[in-house]
Coordinates of all heavy atoms in Angstrom, one line a residue:
T1 N -52.4 -65.8 -36.1 CA -52.2 -66.8 -34.9 C -50.9 -66.3 -34.3 O -49.8 -66.4 -35.0 CB -52.1 -68.1 -35.4 OG1 -53.3 -68.5 -36.0 CG2 -52.0 -69.1 -34.2
F2 N -50.9 -66.1 -33.1 CA -49.7 -65.9 -32.2 C -48.9 -67.1 -31.8 O -49.6 -68.2 -31.6 CB -50.0 -65.0 -31.0 CG -50.5 -63.6 -31.5 CD1 -51.7 -63.2 -31.0 CD2 -49.7 -62.7 -32.1 CE1 -52.2 -61.9 -31.3 CE2 -50.2 -61.4 -32.4 CZ -51.5 -61.1 -32.0
E3 N -47.7 -67.1 -31.6 CA -46.9 -68.1 -31.1 C -46.5 -67.7 -29.6 O -46.1 -66.6 -29.3 CB -45.6 -68.5 -31.9 CG -45.9 -68.9 -33.4 CD -44.6 -69.2 -34.1 OE1 -44.1 -70.2 -33.9 OE2 -44.2 -68.3 -34.8
Y4 N -46.5 -68.7 -28.8 CA -46.1 -68.5 -27.4 C -45.2 -69.8 -27.0 O -45.6 -70.8 -27.2 CB -47.3 -68.5 -26.4 CG -48.3 -67.4 -26.7 CD1 -49.4 -67.6 -27.5 CD2 -48.0 -66.1 -26.2 CE1 -50.3 -66.5 -27.7 CE2 -48.9 -65.1 -26.3 CZ -50.0 -65.3 -27.2 OH -50.9 -64.2 -27.5
I5 N -44.1 -69.4 -26.6 CA -43.0 -70.5 -26.5 C -42.4 -70.4 -25.1 O -42.0 -69.3 -24.8 CB -41.8 -70.4 -27.5 CG1 -42.4 -70.5 -28.9 CG2 -40.8 -71.6 -27.4 CD1 -42.0 -69.4 -29.8
K6 N -42.5 -71.4 -24.3 CA -41.7 -71.5 -23.0 C -40.3 -72.1 -23.4 O -40.2 -73.1 -23.9 CB -42.4 -72.3 -21.9 CG -43.7 -71.8 -21.5 CD -44.4 -72.7 -20.4 CE -44.4 -74.2 -20.8 NZ -45.1 -75.0 -19.9
Y7 N -39.3 -71.4 -22.8 CA -37.9 -71.8 -23.2 C -37.1 -71.6 -21.9 O -37.1 -70.6 -21.2 CB -37.4 -70.9 -24.2 CG -35.9 -71.2 -24.7 CD1 -35.6 -72.4 -25.3 CD2 -35.0 -70.3 -24.5 CE1 -34.4 -72.8 -25.6 CE2 -33.6 -70.6 -24.8 CZ -33.4 -71.9 -25.3 OH -32.0 -72.2 -25.6
F8 N -36.4 -72.7 -21.5 CA -35.6 -72.6 -20.4 C -34.2 -72.2 -21.0 O -33.5 -72.9 -21.6 CB -35.4 -73.9 -19.7 CG -34.6 -73.9 -18.4 CD1 -35.2 -73.4 -17.3 CD2 -33.2 -74.2 -18.3 CE1 -34.5 -73.3 -16.0 CE2 -32.5 -74.0 -17.3 CZ -33.1 -73.6 -16.0
K9 N -33.8 -71.0 -20.7 CA -32.6 -70.3 -21.2 C -31.4 -70.8 -20.5 O -31.3 -70.7 -19.2 CB -32.6 -68.8 -21.1 CG -31.5 -68.1 -21.9 CD -31.3 -66.7 -21.5 CE -30.5 -66.4 -20.3 NZ -29.1 -66.9 -20.3
P10 N -30.4 -71.5 -21.2 CA -29.2 -71.9 -20.6 C -28.2 -70.8 -20.5 O -28.3 -69.7 -21.0 CB -28.7 -72.9 -21.5 CG -29.2 -72.7 -22.9 CD -30.6 -71.9 -22.7
K11 N -27.2 -71.0 -19.6 CA -26.1 -70.1 -19.4 C -25.4 -69.7 -20.8 O -25.2 -70.8 -21.6 CB -25.2 -70.5 -18.4 CG -24.1 -69.6 -18.0 CD -23.2 -70.2 -16.9 CE -22.1 -69.2 -16.6 NZ -21.4 -69.7 -15.5
G12 N -25.1 -68.6 -21.1 CA -24.4 -68.3 -22.3 C -25.3 -67.8 -23.4 O -24.7 -67.3 -24.5
V13 N -26.6 -67.9 -23.4 CA -27.4 -67.4 -24.5 C -27.8 -66.0 -24.0 O -28.1 -65.6 -23.0 CB -28.6 -68.3 -24.5 CG1 -29.8 -67.7 -25.4 CG2 -28.5 -69.8 -25.0
I14 N -27.8 -65.2 -25.2 CA -28.1 -63.7 -25.0 C -29.6 -63.5 -25.4 O -30.0 -63.9 -26.5 CB -27.2 -62.9 -25.8 CG1 -25.7 -63.3 -25.4 CG2 -27.4 -61.4 -25.7 CD1 -24.7 -62.6 -26.4
C15 N -30.2 -62.7 -24.6 CA -31.7 -62.5 -24.9 C -31.8 -61.3 -25.9 O -32.3 -60.3 -25.7 CB -32.4 -62.1 -23.6 SG -32.8 -63.5 -22.6
T16 N -31.3 -61.6 -27.0 CA -31.5 -60.7 -28.2 C -31.9 -61.4 -29.5 O -31.7 -62.6 -29.6 CB -30.3 -60.0 -28.6 OG1 -30.6 -59.1 -29.6 CG2 -29.1 -61.0 -29.0
T17 N -32.8 -60.8 -30.3 CA -33.4 -61.5 -31.4 C -32.4 -61.1 -32.7 O -32.8 -61.6 -33.8 CB -34.7 -61.0 -31.8 OG1 -34.9 -59.6 -31.9 CG2 -35.7 -61.4 -30.6
D18 N -31.4 -60.4 -32.4 CA -30.4 -60.0 -33.5 C -29.6 -61.2 -33.8 O -28.6 -61.5 -33.1 CB -29.6 -58.8 -33.1 CG -28.7 -58.3 -34.2 OD1 -28.5 -59.1 -35.3 OD2 -28.3 -57.1 -34.0
R19 N -29.8 -61.9 -34.9 CA -29.2 -63.2 -35.3 C -27.8 -63.0 -35.8 O -27.0 -63.8 -36.0 CB -30.0 -63.9 -36.3 CG -31.4 -64.3 -35.7 CD -32.2 -65.1 -36.5 NE -31.6 -66.5 -36.5 CZ -32.0 -67.4 -37.3 NH1 -33.1 -67.2 -38.2 NH2 -31.5 -68.6 -37.3
R20 N -27.4 -61.6 -35.9 CA -25.9 -61.4 -36.2 C -25.1 -61.5 -34.9 O -23.8 -61.6 -35.1 CB -25.8 -60.0 -36.8 CG -26.5 -59.8 -38.1 CD -26.4 -58.3 -38.6 NE -27.2 -57.6 -37.6 CZ -27.5 -56.2 -37.6 NH1 -27.1 -55.6 -38.6 NH2 -28.3 -55.7 -36.7
I21 N -25.6 -61.6 -33.7 CA -25.0 -61.7 -32.6 C -24.9 -63.2 -32.2 O -25.9 -63.8 -32.0 CB -25.7 -60.8 -31.4 CG1 -25.7 -59.3 -31.8 CG2 -25.0 -61.2 -30.0 CD1 -26.4 -58.5 -30.8
R22 N -23.6 -63.6 -32.0 CA -23.5 -64.9 -31.6 C -24.0 -65.2 -30.3 O -23.7 -64.4 -29.4 CB -21.9 -65.2 -31.6 CG -21.6 -66.7 -31.5 CD -20.1 -66.9 -31.6 NE -19.9 -68.3 -31.5 CZ -18.7 -68.8 -31.5 NH1 -17.6 -68.0 -31.5 NH2 -18.5 -70.2 -31.4
G23 N -24.7 -66.4 -30.2 CA -25.3 -66.7 -28.9 C -26.7 -66.2 -28.8 O -27.2 -66.3 -27.5
N24 N -27.3 -65.7 -29.7 CA -28.6 -65.0 -29.6 C -29.7 -66.1 -29.2 O -29.5 -67.3 -29.5 CB -29.1 -64.2 -30.8 CG -29.3 -65.1 -32.1 OD1 -30.3 -65.8 -32.1 ND2 -28.3 -65.2 -32.9
I25 N -30.8 -65.7 -28.6 CA -31.8 -66.6 -28.1 C -32.6 -67.3 -29.3 O -33.0 -68.4 -29.1 CB -32.8 -65.9 -27.2 CG1 -33.5 -66.9 -26.4 CG2 -33.7 -64.8 -27.9 CD1 -34.3 -66.2 -25.2
I26 N -32.6 -66.6 -30.5 CA -33.4 -67.2 -31.6 C -32.6 -68.4 -32.1 O -33.3 -69.6 -32.3 CB -33.7 -66.2 -32.7 CG1 -34.4 -65.0 -32.1 CG2 -34.5 -66.8 -33.9 CD1 -35.8 -65.3 -31.5
D27 N -31.3 -68.4 -32.3 CA -30.5 -69.4 -32.8 C -30.6 -70.5 -31.8 O -30.5 -71.7 -32.1 CB -29.1 -69.0 -33.0 CG -28.9 -68.3 -34.4 OD1 -29.8 -68.3 -35.2 OD2 -28.0 -67.5 -34.6
A28 N -30.5 -70.2 -30.5 CA -30.5 -71.2 -29.4 C -31.8 -71.9 -29.4 O -32.0 -73.1 -29.2 CB -30.2 -70.5 -28.0
L29 N -32.9 -71.3 -29.6 CA -34.2 -71.9 -29.7 C -34.3 -72.8 -30.9 O -34.9 -73.9 -30.7 CB -35.3 -70.7 -29.8 CG -36.8 -71.1 -29.8 CD1 -37.2 -71.7 -28.5 CD2 -37.6 -70.0 -30.3
I30 N -33.7 -72.4 -32.0 CA -33.7 -73.4 -33.1 C -32.8 -74.5 -33.0 O -33.1 -75.7 -33.1 CB -33.5 -72.6 -34.4 CG1 -34.5 -71.6 -34.7 CG2 -33.2 -73.5 -35.5 CD1 -34.2 -70.6 -35.8
D31 N -31.4 -74.3 -32.7 CA -30.5 -75.4 -32.5 C -30.6 -76.1 -31.3 O -30.5 -77.3 -31.4 CB -29.1 -74.5 -32.4 CG -28.8 -73.8 -33.7 OD1 -29.5 -74.1 -34.7 OD2 -27.9 -73.0 -33.7
R32 N -30.8 -75.5 -30.1 CA -30.9 -76.3 -28.9 C -32.2 -76.8 -28.6 O -32.6 -77.9 -27.9 CB -30.4 -75.6 -27.7 CG -28.9 -75.2 -27.9 CD -28.4 -74.4 -26.7 NE -27.1 -73.9 -27.0 CZ -26.4 -73.0 -26.2 NH1 -27.1 -72.6 -25.0 NH2 -25.3 -72.6 -26.4
G33 N -33.3 -76.0 -28.9 CA -34.7 -76.2 -28.5 C -35.4 -77.0 -29.5 O -36.5 -77.6 -29.3
G34 N -34.8 -77.0 -30.8 CA -35.5 -77.8 -31.8 C -36.8 -77.2 -32.3 O -37.6 -77.8 -32.9
Y35 N -37.0 -75.9 -32.1 CA -38.2 -75.2 -32.5 C -37.8 -74.0 -33.5 O -37.0 -73.1 -33.1 CB -39.1 -74.7 -31.3 CG -40.2 -74.1 -31.7 CD1 -41.3 -74.8 -32.1 CD2 -40.4 -72.7 -31.8 CE1 -42.5 -74.3 -32.6 CE2 -41.7 -72.1 -32.2 CZ -42.7 -72.9 -32.5 OH -43.8 -72.3 -32.8
D36 N -38.4 -74.0 -34.7 CA -38.2 -72.9 -35.6 C -39.5 -72.0 -35.7 O -40.5 -72.4 -36.3 CB -37.8 -73.4 -36.9 CG -37.4 -72.3 -38.0 OD1 -37.1 -71.2 -37.5 OD2 -37.1 -72.6 -39.2
P37 N -39.5 -70.8 -35.2 CA -40.7 -70.1 -35.1 C -41.1 -69.8 -36.5 O -40.3 -69.5 -37.3 CB -40.3 -68.8 -34.3 CG -39.0 -69.1 -33.6 CD -38.3 -70.2 -34.4
K38 N -42.5 -69.7 -36.6 CA -43.1 -69.5 -37.9 C -43.2 -67.9 -38.2 O -43.4 -67.5 -39.2 CB -44.5 -70.0 -38.1 CG -44.3 -71.6 -38.0 CD -45.8 -72.2 -37.8 CE -45.7 -73.7 -37.6 NZ -44.9 -74.2 -36.5
H39 N -43.2 -67.1 -37.0 CA -43.3 -65.7 -37.2 C -42.1 -65.1 -36.4 O -41.3 -65.8 -35.7 CB -44.6 -65.2 -36.4 CG -45.9 -65.9 -36.9 ND1 -46.4 -67.0 -36.4 CD2 -46.6 -65.4 -37.9 CE1 -47.4 -67.3 -37.0 NE2 -47.6 -66.4 -38.0
R40 N -42.0 -63.7 -36.5 CA -40.9 -63.1 -35.8 C -41.3 -63.0 -34.2 O -42.5 -62.6 -33.9 CB -40.8 -61.6 -36.2 CG -39.6 -60.9 -35.7 CD -39.4 -59.6 -36.3 NE -38.2 -59.1 -35.5 CZ -37.5 -58.1 -35.9 NH1 -37.7 -57.5 -37.1 NH2 -36.5 -57.6 -35.2
V41 N -40.5 -63.6 -33.5 CA -40.7 -63.7 -32.0 C -39.8 -62.8 -31.3 O -38.7 -62.5 -31.7 CB -40.7 -65.1 -31.5 CG1 -41.8 -65.9 -32.2 CG2 -39.4 -65.7 -31.9
Y42 N -40.2 -62.5 -30.0 CA -39.5 -61.6 -29.0 C -39.6 -62.2 -27.7 O -40.6 -62.7 -27.3 CB -40.1 -60.2 -29.0 CG -40.3 -59.6 -30.3 CD1 -41.5 -59.8 -31.0 CD2 -39.3 -58.8 -30.9 CE1 -41.6 -59.1 -32.3 CE2 -39.4 -58.2 -32.1 CZ -40.6 -58.4 -32.9 OH -40.8 -57.8 -34.0
P43 N -38.5 -62.1 -26.9 CA -38.6 -62.6 -25.5 C -39.3 -61.6 -24.7 O -39.3 -60.4 -24.9 CB -37.0 -62.7 -25.0 CG -36.3 -61.7 -26.1 CD -37.2 -61.7 -27.3
V44 N -40.0 -62.0 -23.7 CA -40.9 -61.2 -22.9 C -39.9 -61.0 -21.6 O -39.8 -62.0 -20.9 CB -42.2 -61.7 -22.4 CG1 -42.9 -60.9 -21.3 CG2 -43.0 -62.1 -23.6
G45 N -39.3 -59.9 -21.6 CA -38.3 -59.6 -20.5 C -36.9 -60.1 -20.9 O -36.7 -60.3 -22.1
R46 N -36.0 -60.3 -20.0 CA -34.7 -60.6 -20.3 C -34.0 -61.2 -19.2 O -34.2 -61.0 -18.0 CB -34.0 -59.1 -20.6 CG -32.5 -59.2 -21.0 CD -32.0 -57.9 -21.4 NE -32.0 -57.1 -20.2 CZ -30.8 -56.9 -19.5 NH1 -29.7 -57.5 -19.9 NH2 -30.8 -56.1 -18.5
L47 N -33.1 -62.1 -19.4 CA -32.2 -62.8 -18.5 C -30.8 -62.5 -18.9 O -30.5 -62.5 -20.2 CB -32.5 -64.2 -18.4 CG -33.8 -64.8 -17.9 CD1 -34.0 -66.3 -18.1 CD2 -33.9 -64.5 -16.4
D48 N -29.9 -62.2 -18.1 CA -28.5 -61.9 -18.3 C -28.0 -63.2 -18.9 O -28.4 -64.3 -18.8 CB -27.7 -61.5 -17.1 CG -28.3 -60.2 -16.5 OD1 -28.7 -59.3 -17.2 OD2 -28.1 -60.0 -15.2
K49 N -26.8 -62.9 -19.7 CA -26.1 -63.9 -20.5 C -25.7 -65.1 -19.5 O -25.8 -66.3 -19.9 CB -24.8 -63.5 -21.1 CG -24.1 -64.4 -21.9 CD -22.9 -63.8 -22.5 CE -22.1 -64.7 -23.4 NZ -20.9 -64.2 -24.0
D50 N -25.3 -64.8 -18.3 CA -24.8 -65.8 -17.3 C -25.9 -66.4 -16.5 O -25.6 -67.2 -15.6 CB -23.7 -65.3 -16.4 CG -22.4 -65.0 -17.3 OD1 -22.2 -65.6 -18.2 OD2 -21.7 -64.1 -16.8
S51 N -27.2 -65.9 -16.7 CA -28.4 -66.5 -16.0 C -29.0 -67.6 -16.6 O -29.0 -67.7 -17.9 CB -29.3 -65.4 -15.7 OG -28.8 -64.3 -14.9
T52 N -29.8 -68.5 -16.0 CA -30.5 -69.5 -16.6 C -31.9 -69.3 -16.0 O -32.1 -68.7 -15.0 CB -30.1 -70.9 -16.2 OG1 -30.1 -71.1 -14.7 CG2 -28.6 -71.2 -16.6
G53 N -32.9 -69.9 -16.7 CA -34.3 -69.7 -16.2 C -35.2 -69.7 -17.3 O -34.9 -69.7 -18.6
L54 N -36.5 -69.9 -17.0 CA -37.6 -69.9 -17.9 C -37.9 -68.4 -18.4 O -37.9 -67.6 -17.7 CB -38.9 -70.4 -17.2 CG -40.1 -70.7 -18.0 CD1 -39.8 -71.8 -19.0 CD2 -41.3 -71.1 -17.2
I55 N -38.1 -68.4 -19.7 CA -38.4 -67.1 -20.4 C -39.5 -67.4 -21.3 O -39.5 -68.5 -22.1 CB -37.2 -66.4 -21.0 CG1 -37.5 -64.9 -21.5 CG2 -36.6 -67.3 -22.1 CD1 -36.2 -64.1 -21.5
L56 N -40.4 -66.5 -21.5 CA -41.5 -66.6 -22.6 C -41.1 -65.8 -23.8 O -40.5 -64.7 -23.8 CB -42.8 -66.0 -22.0 CG -43.9 -66.1 -22.9 CD1 -44.4 -67.5 -23.2 CD2 -45.2 -65.3 -22.2
I57 N -41.2 -66.5 -24.9 CA -40.9 -65.9 -26.2 C -42.3 -66.0 -27.0 O -42.9 -66.9 -27.1 CB -39.8 -66.8 -26.9 CG1 -38.6 -66.7 -26.2 CG2 -39.5 -66.2 -28.4 CD1 -37.5 -67.8 -26.6
T58 N -42.6 -64.8 -27.7 CA -43.8 -64.7 -28.3 C -43.8 -64.0 -29.6 O -42.9 -63.1 -29.7 CB -44.8 -64.3 -27.3 OG1 -46.2 -64.2 -28.0 CG2 -44.5 -62.9 -27.0
S59 N -44.8 -64.1 -30.4 CA -44.9 -63.3 -31.7 C -46.0 -62.3 -31.3 O -46.3 -61.4 -32.1 CB -45.3 -64.1 -32.9 OG -46.5 -64.8 -32.6
D60 N -46.6 -62.2 -30.2 CA -47.6 -61.4 -29.8 C -47.0 -60.2 -29.2 O -46.6 -60.1 -28.1 CB -48.5 -62.0 -28.7 CG -49.7 -61.2 -28.3 OD1 -49.8 -59.9 -28.6 OD2 -50.6 -61.7 -27.6
G61 N -46.8 -59.2 -30.0 CA -46.1 -57.8 -29.6 C -46.8 -57.1 -28.4 O -46.1 -56.3 -27.7
R62 N -48.0 -57.5 -28.2 CA -48.7 -56.7 -27.0 C -48.1 -57.2 -25.6 O -48.1 -56.4 -24.8 CB -50.2 -57.0 -27.1 CG -50.9 -56.6 -28.3 CD -52.3 -57.1 -28.3 NE -52.2 -58.5 -28.3 CZ -53.4 -59.4 -28.3 NH1 -54.6 -58.8 -28.3 NH2 -53.2 -60.7 -28.3
L63 N -47.7 -58.4 -25.6 CA -47.2 -58.9 -24.3 C -45.9 -58.4 -23.9 O -45.8 -57.8 -22.8 CB -47.2 -60.5 -24.4 CG -47.0 -61.2 -23.2 CD1 -48.1 -60.9 -22.2 CD2 -47.1 -62.8 -23.5
P64 N -44.8 -58.4 -24.7 CA -43.6 -57.7 -24.3 C -43.8 -56.2 -24.0 O -43.3 -55.7 -22.9 CB -42.6 -57.8 -25.3 CG -43.1 -59.0 -26.2 CD -44.6 -59.0 -26.0
N65 N -44.6 -55.5 -24.7 CA -45.0 -54.0 -24.6 C -45.6 -53.9 -23.3 O -45.3 -52.9 -22.5 CB -45.7 -53.4 -25.8 CG -44.7 -53.4 -26.9 OD1 -43.6 -53.4 -26.8 ND2 -45.4 -53.4 -28.1
A66 N -46.6 -54.7 -22.9 CA -47.4 -54.6 -21.7 C -46.5 -54.8 -20.5 O -46.7 -54.1 -19.5 CB -48.6 -55.5 -21.8
S67 N -45.6 -55.6 -20.6 CA -44.8 -56.0 -19.5 C -43.7 -54.9 -19.1 O -43.2 -54.8 -18.1 CB -44.1 -57.4 -19.7 OG -43.0 -57.2 -20.7
L68 N -43.5 -54.0 -20.2 CA -42.6 -53.0 -19.8 C -43.2 -51.6 -19.3 O -42.5 -50.8 -18.9 CB -41.8 -52.6 -21.2 CG -40.9 -53.8 -21.8 CD1 -40.5 -53.3 -23.3 CD2 -39.8 -53.9 -20.9
R69 N -44.5 -51.7 -19.4 CA -45.1 -50.5 -18.8 C -45.0 -50.3 -17.3 O -45.0 -51.3 -16.6 CB -46.7 -50.5 -19.0 CG -46.9 -50.3 -20.6 CD -48.5 -50.1 -20.7 NE -48.7 -50.2 -22.2 CZ -49.3 -51.2 -22.8 NH1 -50.1 -52.1 -22.1 NH2 -49.5 -51.1 -24.1
R70 N -44.7 -49.1 -16.9 CA -44.3 -48.9 -15.5 C -45.3 -49.6 -14.4 O -44.9 -50.2 -13.5 CB -44.3 -47.3 -15.2 CG -44.0 -47.0 -13.7 CD -43.6 -45.7 -13.6 NE -42.2 -45.6 -14.1 CZ -41.5 -44.6 -14.1 NH1 -41.9 -43.5 -13.8 NH2 -40.3 -44.5 -14.5
K71 N -46.6 -49.4 -14.7 CA -47.6 -49.9 -13.7 C -47.6 -51.4 -13.7 O -48.2 -52.1 -12.8 CB -49.0 -49.3 -13.8 CG -49.6 -49.5 -15.2 CD -51.0 -48.7 -15.2 CE -51.4 -48.6 -16.6 NZ -52.7 -47.8 -16.7
Q72 N -47.1 -52.0 -14.7 CA -47.1 -53.5 -14.9 C -45.9 -54.2 -14.3 O -45.8 -55.4 -14.1 CB -47.3 -54.0 -16.3 CG -48.6 -53.4 -16.9 CD -49.8 -54.1 -16.4 OE1 -49.8 -55.2 -15.9 NE2 -50.9 -53.4 -16.5
K73 N -44.9 -53.4 -14.0 CA -43.6 -53.9 -13.5 C -43.7 -54.7 -12.3 O -44.4 -54.2 -11.4 CB -42.5 -52.7 -13.5 CG -42.2 -52.2 -14.8 CD -40.8 -51.5 -14.6 CE -40.5 -51.2 -16.2 NZ -39.0 -50.8 -16.2
Q74 N -43.0 -55.7 -12.2 CA -42.9 -56.5 -11.0 C -41.5 -56.4 -10.4 O -40.4 -56.2 -11.0 CB -43.2 -58.0 -11.3 CG -44.5 -58.3 -12.0 CD -45.6 -58.1 -10.9 OE1 -45.4 -58.5 -9.8 NE2 -46.8 -57.4 -11.2
E75 N -41.5 -56.5 -9.1 CA -40.1 -56.6 -8.4 C -39.4 -57.8 -8.8 O -39.9 -58.8 -8.8 CB -40.3 -56.5 -6.9 CG -39.1 -56.4 -6.1 CD -39.3 -56.3 -4.6 OE1 -40.3 -55.6 -4.2 OE2 -38.6 -57.0 -3.8
K76 N -38.1 -57.6 -9.0 CA -37.2 -58.7 -9.5 C -36.8 -59.4 -8.2 O -36.4 -58.9 -7.2 CB -36.1 -58.3 -10.3 CG -36.4 -57.6 -11.6 CD -35.1 -57.2 -12.3 CE -35.5 -56.4 -13.6 NZ -34.4 -55.9 -14.3
V77 N -36.7 -60.8 -8.3 CA -36.3 -61.7 -7.3 C -35.2 -62.5 -7.9 O -35.4 -63.2 -9.0 CB -37.5 -62.5 -6.8 CG1 -37.0 -63.4 -5.7 CG2 -38.5 -61.6 -6.2
Y78 N -34.0 -62.5 -7.2 CA -33.0 -63.3 -7.8 C -32.7 -64.4 -6.7 O -32.7 -64.2 -5.5 CB -31.7 -62.5 -7.9 CG -31.8 -61.5 -9.0 CD1 -32.2 -60.1 -8.7 CD2 -31.5 -61.8 -10.3 CE1 -32.4 -59.2 -9.7 CE2 -31.7 -60.9 -11.2 CZ -32.0 -59.5 -11.0 OH -32.1 -58.5 -11.9
R79 N -32.4 -65.7 -7.2 CA -32.0 -66.8 -6.4 C -30.5 -67.1 -6.8 O -30.3 -67.4 -8.0 CB -32.9 -67.9 -6.6 CG -32.6 -69.1 -5.7 CD -33.6 -70.2 -5.9 NE -35.0 -69.7 -5.7 CZ -36.0 -70.4 -5.9 NH1 -35.9 -71.6 -6.4 NH2 -37.3 -69.8 -5.8
V80 N -29.6 -67.1 -5.8 CA -28.3 -67.3 -6.2 C -27.7 -68.4 -5.3 O -28.2 -68.7 -4.1 CB -27.5 -66.1 -6.0 CG1 -27.9 -64.9 -6.9 CG2 -27.4 -65.5 -4.6
K81 N -26.6 -69.0 -5.7 CA -25.9 -70.1 -5.0 C -24.4 -69.4 -4.8 O -23.9 -68.9 -5.7 CB -25.8 -71.3 -5.8 CG -27.1 -72.0 -6.0 CD -26.9 -73.4 -6.7 CE -28.2 -74.1 -6.8 NZ -28.0 -75.3 -7.7
V82 N -24.0 -69.7 -3.6 CA -22.6 -69.0 -3.3 C -21.7 -70.2 -3.1 O -22.2 -71.2 -2.6 CB -22.6 -68.1 -2.2 CG1 -23.4 -66.8 -2.6 CG2 -23.3 -68.7 -0.9
H83 N -20.4 -70.2 -3.4 CA -19.5 -71.2 -3.2 C -18.9 -71.2 -1.7 O -18.1 -72.2 -1.3 CB -18.3 -71.1 -4.2 CG -17.5 -69.9 -4.1 ND1 -17.9 -68.8 -4.6 CD2 -16.3 -69.7 -3.5 CE1 -17.0 -67.8 -4.4 NE2 -15.9 -68.4 -3.7
Q84 N -19.3 -70.2 -0.8 CA -18.8 -70.2 0.5 C -19.8 -69.4 1.3 O -20.6 -68.6 0.9 CB -17.4 -69.6 0.6 CG -17.4 -68.1 0.2 CD -15.9 -67.6 0.1 OE1 -15.0 -68.3 -0.1 NE2 -15.8 -66.3 0.4
P85 N -19.9 -69.6 2.6 CA -20.8 -68.9 3.5 C -20.6 -67.4 3.4 O -19.5 -67.0 3.3 CB -20.4 -69.4 4.9 CG -19.7 -70.8 4.7 CD -19.1 -70.5 3.4
L86 N -21.7 -66.7 3.4 CA -21.7 -65.2 3.4 C -21.4 -64.7 4.7 O -22.0 -65.2 5.8 CB -22.9 -64.6 2.8 CG -23.2 -64.9 1.3 CD1 -24.5 -64.4 0.9 CD2 -22.0 -64.2 0.6
L87 N -20.6 -63.7 4.9 CA -20.4 -63.0 6.2 C -21.5 -61.9 6.3 O -22.0 -61.4 5.2 CB -19.0 -62.4 6.3 CG -17.9 -63.3 6.1 CD1 -16.5 -62.6 6.1 CD2 -17.9 -64.4 7.3
E88 N -21.8 -61.4 7.5 CA -22.8 -60.3 7.6 C -22.4 -59.1 6.8 O -23.3 -58.5 6.3 CB -22.8 -60.1 9.1 CG -24.1 -59.0 9.5 CD -25.4 -59.6 9.1 OE1 -25.6 -60.8 9.3 OE2 -26.2 -58.8 8.7
E89 N -21.1 -58.7 6.8 CA -20.8 -57.5 6.0 C -20.9 -57.8 4.6 O -21.2 -56.7 3.9 CB -19.3 -57.1 6.3 CG -18.2 -58.2 6.1 CD -17.8 -58.8 7.5 OE1 -18.6 -58.9 8.5 OE2 -16.8 -59.4 7.5
D90 N -20.8 -59.0 4.1 CA -21.1 -59.3 2.7 C -22.6 -59.0 2.4 O -22.9 -58.4 1.3 CB -20.8 -60.7 2.3 CG -19.4 -61.1 2.4 OD1 -18.5 -60.2 2.3 OD2 -19.1 -62.2 2.8
I91 N -23.5 -59.5 3.2 CA -25.0 -59.2 3.0 C -25.3 -57.8 3.1 O -26.1 -57.4 2.2 CB -25.8 -60.0 4.1 CG1 -25.4 -61.6 3.9 CG2 -27.2 -59.8 4.1 CD1 -26.0 -62.5 5.0
E92 N -24.8 -57.1 4.1 CA -24.9 -55.7 4.2 C -24.5 -54.9 2.9 O -25.1 -53.9 2.3 CB -24.2 -55.0 5.4 CG -25.0 -55.5 6.6 CD -24.2 -54.9 7.9 OE1 -23.3 -54.1 7.8 OE2 -24.5 -55.5 9.0
E93 N -23.4 -55.4 2.3 CA -22.8 -54.7 1.1 C -23.8 -54.9 -0.1 O -23.9 -54.1 -1.0 CB -21.5 -55.3 0.8 CG -20.8 -54.5 -0.4 CD -19.4 -55.0 -0.6 OE1 -18.7 -55.2 0.4 OE2 -19.0 -55.0 -1.7
L94 N -24.4 -56.1 -0.2 CA -25.4 -56.3 -1.3 C -26.6 -55.5 -1.1 O -27.2 -55.0 -2.1 CB -25.9 -57.9 -1.2 CG -24.7 -58.9 -1.5 CD1 -25.2 -60.3 -1.3 CD2 -24.3 -58.7 -3.0

């Protein structure tokens, strides 16, 4: 039986399953999410340490592998908040 977990990753959590690394997603899932996986699980994709958002974690190894195949790749879309208005030259630089 595979496990599929929806997890809203908070800022500061690292999308690694290496529990030797402080702030890893597995410890966060257990400590903050209150869920202790019964199998070895992996995040599907990755969010940067300073990013927040929904991430799927699963023990179904087919899912992360399939998402990494070139023809399955999706364009990334980022939503950001800025602390001041952007100038036209700022947008062009991005």
Side-chain angles (χ1 to χ4, degrees):
T1 305
F2 294 119
E3 292 180 86
Y4 301 93
I5 304 125
K6 292 187 301 184
Y7 179 65
F8 188 84
K9 188 193 88 57
K11 185 176 181 178
V13 172
I14 302 168
C15 286
T16 181
T17 58
D18 186 344
R19 297 188 71 187
R20 296 172 296 183
I21 296 175
R22 187 174 184 189
N24 70 77
I25 197 165
I26 303 302
D27 287 344
L29 183 66
I30 294 167
D31 298 342
R32 297 180 192 172
Y35 184 76
D36 191 4
K38 295 167 188 58
H39 304 92
R40 185 168 180 167
V41 293
Y42 307 89
V44 178
R46 183 176 67 96
L47 293 172
D48 293 332
K49 182 179 179 181
D50 291 334
S51 298
T52 62
L54 187 66
I55 191 160
L56 181 63
I57 301 172
T58 182
S59 62
D60 184 351
R62 300 171 300 178
L63 197 53
N65 290 337
S67 71
L68 294 174
R69 290 191 189 116
R70 177 166 285 181
K71 58 184 167 181
Q72 300 294 332
K73 287 198 175 199
Q74 298 291 317
E75 185 174 318
K76 293 179 183 179
V77 177
Y78 295 92
R79 188 176 303 174
V80 299
K81 292 181 184 177
V82 295
H83 65 279
Q84 62 188 30
L86 291 175
L87 302 173
E88 187 62 38
E89 55 263 20
D90 296 328
I91 295 170
E92 288 175 13
E93 188 174 319
L94 292 173

